[in-house]
């Protein structure tokens, strides 16, 4: 069973998920702040060696305006050979 092989218990997972949600929320509410955006872009250099992110199918299926530049660049990357 999972409980025997897991290295993280429910309380730790709950704390991790809350931290992730809080960070994403903070990121989203600050993304229009130019100073914040510049700092984030500085850190993206560190992530250049990581795998490219993929669009989450569940969130991508949520109705909305999907004509923005982020969606267009993601669509172009996902369609590339």
């Amino acid at each position: 069973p999972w409980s025997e092989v897991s290295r993280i218990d429910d309380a730790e997972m709950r704390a991790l998920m809350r931290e992730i949600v809080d960070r994403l929320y903070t990121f989203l509410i600050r993304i229009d702040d130019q100073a914040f955006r510049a700092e984030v872009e500085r850190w993206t250099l560190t992530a250049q060696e990581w795998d490219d992110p993929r669009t989450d199918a569940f969130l991508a299926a949520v109705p909305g305006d999907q004509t923005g530049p982020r969606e267009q660049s993601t669509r172009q990357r996902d369609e590339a050979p």
Side-chain angles (χ1 to χ4, degrees):
W2 177 250
S3 60
E4 293 178 18
V5 297
S6 174
R7 291 181 176 77
I8 185 168
D9 63 30
D10 286 345
E12 292 170 316
M13 180 59 80
R14 189 175 304 109
L16 174 63
M17 294 304 295
R18 284 183 176 152
E19 182 178 348
I20 291 168
V21 168
D22 289 348
R23 285 181 183 225
L24 285 171
Y25 175 75
T26 303
F27 177 86
L28 291 172
I29 63 172
R30 294 205 54 206
I31 196 61
D32 292 328
D33 175 342
Q34 293 302 316
F36 175 75
R37 192 175 212 153
E39 186 68 17
V40 168
E41 292 196 14
R42 186 175 71 85
W43 283 98
T44 60
L45 295 174
T46 304
Q48 286 181 346
E49 301 299 319
W50 298 358
D51 294 338
D52 288 337
R54 289 184 269 172
T55 302
D56 180 86
F58 178 79
L59 289 177
V62 174
D65 178 15
Q66 298 184 2
T67 60
R70 289 189 190 125
E71 179 60 31
Q72 290 171 356
S73 64
T74 301
R75 191 177 311 125
Q76 289 168 353
R77 185 192 64 234
D78 289 347
E79 293 171 357

